């Protein structure tokens, strides 16, 4: 579990980079679904990383060097009537006692208090552009400070992207975060195993979605980390297919891209398997290429390698495999150079994973791909998707295969957090035959 001390350390770490600036970090606004119904609330990832606080209507302020307290929270006050309808609130005292704030103020009072906190600070660190309504308020508070310059205060001269500092911290996952990520991964693995075991021709895609999300919730995960993709047959060639309502046909493959979000940390797994429990020779020929590409890409994950290393490894295996199957023609180097593989492998191999499913952190530094370091977590997810085009032999058309695992960079190399979800054809067929 992430302790109050862990959060305090993160704030200290961030504050050590702020100089005489101030950071203003709102949590996410509540989102209306329709009428007076709201989506289930999920805090802003930056705000959560620094506070662990999960209620809506909250803003954190980090003011390094402020004599009467550096960490302030604006949040909802206790309110017996509201709490009877909507559940308990932490309140101002709780923000101090449980969340380590030096001081806490009612959310409604931010208008009156925040401008004075900005006085005599040289910079404001914020996530400009993320929440436009909050941006407007912040700009208004800044102009408020400017109007008071005649009375001797100075106004911040710069607005700086908080992410430039904070997202570099978020990129390296430490032990408490990894514990949660491993649990999210384990729940997601269990869900994929259940989906494989329960899958049968004639079911609807949403029935499999229900199996997955049953396991997520049963395991304590609050939500799917993103809308689950359950794509039978040619639906797998639609990369973000989420309709999940077609019937599963016995000669087709099923691609499932689904992961749980546990305490705001995401897992992201894809498996592709035969609906009737046995790969056909055609399916297996393509599947083996994707699997070899994925294994080669995972092998390329180690400290000192670059972020692009796994992608380059996957591209080479896929280009070679597609040439062997005569889906591409020419020399492998030529095919790679021309990007011919992109007809079948349209996306990249990896993204960072953490509080956000496509997590924060730069992929390039200056002109170069960034170097992998212990504590980074990335997905490895090559795929082949064969379009229904007349110059492609019919037998391949409409096959979509992706295999995705979550990989932690360790000092010794890497650890695959999602390895227990079967991906070797025999292991998949065994699980589907035995039913667990
Ligand atoms: N599920 C989103 C992705 O794989 O990137
Ligand atoms: Mn995915
Ligand atoms: Mn992914």
């Amino acid at each position: 579990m992430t302790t109050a001390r862990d959060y305090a350390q993160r704030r200290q770490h961030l504050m050590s980079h702020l100089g005489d600036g101030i950071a203003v970090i709102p949590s996410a606004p509540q989102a209306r679904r329709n009428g007076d119904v709201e989506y289930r609330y999920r805090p802003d990832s930056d705000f959560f990383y620094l506070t662990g606080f999960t209620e809506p209507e909250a803003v954190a302020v980090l003011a390094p060097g402020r004599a009467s307290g550096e960490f302030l929270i604006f949040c909802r006050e206790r309110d017996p009537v509201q709490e009877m309808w909507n559940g308990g609130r932490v309140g101002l005292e709780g923000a101090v006692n449980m969340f380590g704030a030096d001081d806490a103020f009612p959310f409604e009072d931010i208008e009156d208090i925040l401008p004075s906190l900005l006085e005599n600070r040289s910079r404001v660190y914020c996530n400009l552009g993320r929440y436009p309504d909050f941006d407007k308020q912040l700009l208004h508070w800044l102009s408020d400070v400017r109007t008071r310059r005649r009375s001797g205060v100075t106004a911040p001269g710069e607005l700086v992207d908080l992410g430039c500092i904070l997202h570099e911290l978020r990129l390296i996952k430490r032990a408490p975060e990894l514990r949660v990520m491993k649990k999210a991964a384990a729940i997601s693995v269990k869900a994929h195993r259940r989906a494989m075991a329960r899958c049968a021709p004639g079911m609807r895609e949403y029935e499999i979605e229900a199996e997955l999300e049953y396991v997520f919730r049963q395991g304590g995960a609050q939500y799917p980390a993103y809308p689950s993709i359950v794509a039978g047959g040619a639906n797998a060639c639609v990369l973000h297919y989420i309709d999940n309502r077609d019937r599963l046909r016995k000669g087709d493959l099923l691609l499932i891209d689904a992961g749980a979000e546990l305490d705001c940390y995401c897992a992201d797994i894809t498996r592709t398997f035969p609906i009737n429990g046995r790969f056909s020779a055609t399916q297996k020929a393509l599947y083996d290429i994707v699997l070899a590409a994925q294994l080669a890409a995972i092998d390329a994950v180690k400290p000192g390698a670059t972020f692009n290393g796994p992608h380059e490894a996957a591209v080479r295996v896929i280009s070679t495999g597609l040439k062997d199957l005569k889906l591409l023609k020419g020399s492998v180097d030529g095919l790679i150079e021309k990007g011919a593989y992109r007809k079948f492998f349209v996306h990249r191999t990896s993204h960072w994973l953490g509080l956000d499913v496509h997590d924060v952190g730069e992929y390039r530094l200056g002109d170069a791909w960034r170097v992998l370091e212990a504590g980074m977590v990335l997905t490895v997810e090559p795929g082949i998707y064969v379009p229904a085009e007349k110059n492609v032999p019919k037998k391949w058309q409409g096959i979509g295969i992706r295999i995705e695992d979550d990989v932690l960079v360790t000092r010794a190399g890497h650890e695959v957090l999602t390895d227990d979800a079967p991906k070797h054809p025999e292991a998949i067929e065994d699980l589907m035959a035995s039913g667990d």
Side-chain angles (χ1 to χ4, degrees), residues 59-284:
V59 177
V61 176
L62 297 178
R66 184 171 172 272
S68 49
E70 297 182 312
F71 170 39
L72 312 176
I73 290 187
F74 293 86
C75 64
R76 303 186 305 192
E77 289 181 273
R78 303 288 312 267
D79 178 331
V81 175
Q82 280 298 327
E83 290 184 45
M84 189 189 75
W85 283 90
N86 298 316
R89 293 180 171 190
V90 165
L92 307 185
E93 253 175 63
V96 172
N97 296 335
M98 293 150 59
F99 290 86
D102 295 313
D103 216 340
F105 305 100
F107 184 67
E108 295 74 27
D109 292 357
I110 195 164
E111 296 278 339
D112 302 327
I113 297 171
L114 203 86
S116 62
L117 296 171
L118 302 178
E119 286 176 3
N120 304 324
R121 296 274 168 184
S122 62
R123 291 178 297 282
V124 180
Y125 291 87
C126 55
N127 286 316
L128 219 51
R130 190 177 298 177
Y131 305 120
D133 289 345
F134 188 81
D135 290 348
K136 267 192 228 150
Q137 281 183 289
L138 183 61
L139 295 176
H140 173 75
W141 297 326
L142 275 168
S143 72
D144 195 52
V145 180
R146 280 193 213 105
T147 59
R148 277 185 281 118
R149 278 197 280 213
R150 264 168 299 172
S151 60
V153 303
T154 59
E158 290 174 67
L159 289 176
V160 186
D161 180 28
L162 178 70
C164 290
I165 302 170
L166 184 59
H167 295 171
E168 291 299 297
L169 304 185
R170 276 180 54 189
L171 180 55
I172 306 293
K173 277 75 180 173
R174 297 182 191 276
E177 301 188 273
L178 289 173
R179 274 196 287 275
V180 186
M181 289 192 77
K182 285 179 184 182
K183 271 196 212 156
I187 293 167
S188 308
V189 162
K190 196 171 163 200
H192 277 262
R193 294 182 69 97
R194 180 174 170 115
M196 279 181 199
R198 299 275 166 129
C199 178
M203 289 173 81
R204 295 277 187 173
E205 292 165 337
Y206 54 70
E207 293 179 73
I208 300 294
E209 180 181 2
E211 298 288 350
L212 292 159
E213 295 185 8
Y214 165 74
V215 179
F216 291 173
R217 207 63 188 107
Q218 192 220 16
Q222 289 82 359
Y223 334 77
Y226 49 91
S228 302
I229 296 168
V230 182
N235 292 338
C237 295
V238 180
L239 295 179
H240 291 163
Y241 174 82
I242 54 170
D243 288 346
N244 300 355
R245 63 176 162 234
D246 284 353
R247 216 174 267 291
L248 301 176
R249 294 188 318 203
K250 75 169 176 296
D252 285 347
L253 294 175
L254 175 60
L255 181 153
I256 298 179
D257 184 345
E261 182 180 301
L262 176 70
D263 299 341
C264 294
Y265 284 89
C266 300
D268 183 5
I269 304 179
T270 307
R271 289 292 182 267
T272 310
F273 56 88
I275 287 164
N276 62 7
R278 284 259 165 229
F279 284 93
S280 71
T282 305
Q283 290 165 347
K284 189 158 178 305

Side-chain angles (χ1 to χ4, degrees), residues 42 45 167 170-171 173 225-226 229 240 257 261 266-268 347-348 350-361 363 377-379 381 402 404:
R42 200 269 189 191
S45 296
H167 295 171
R170 276 180 54 189
L171 180 55
K173 277 75 180 173
Y226 49 91
I229 296 168
H240 291 163
D257 184 345
E261 182 180 301
C266 300
D268 183 5
H347 54 78
R348 292 187 51 84
S350 301
H351 55 79
W352 305 129
L353 184 73
L355 287 167
D356 295 351
V357 67
H358 294 166
D359 206 30
V360 294
Y363 291 99
V377 181
L378 63 156
T379 64
E381 51 178 309
R402 177 165 67 255
E404 175 175 29

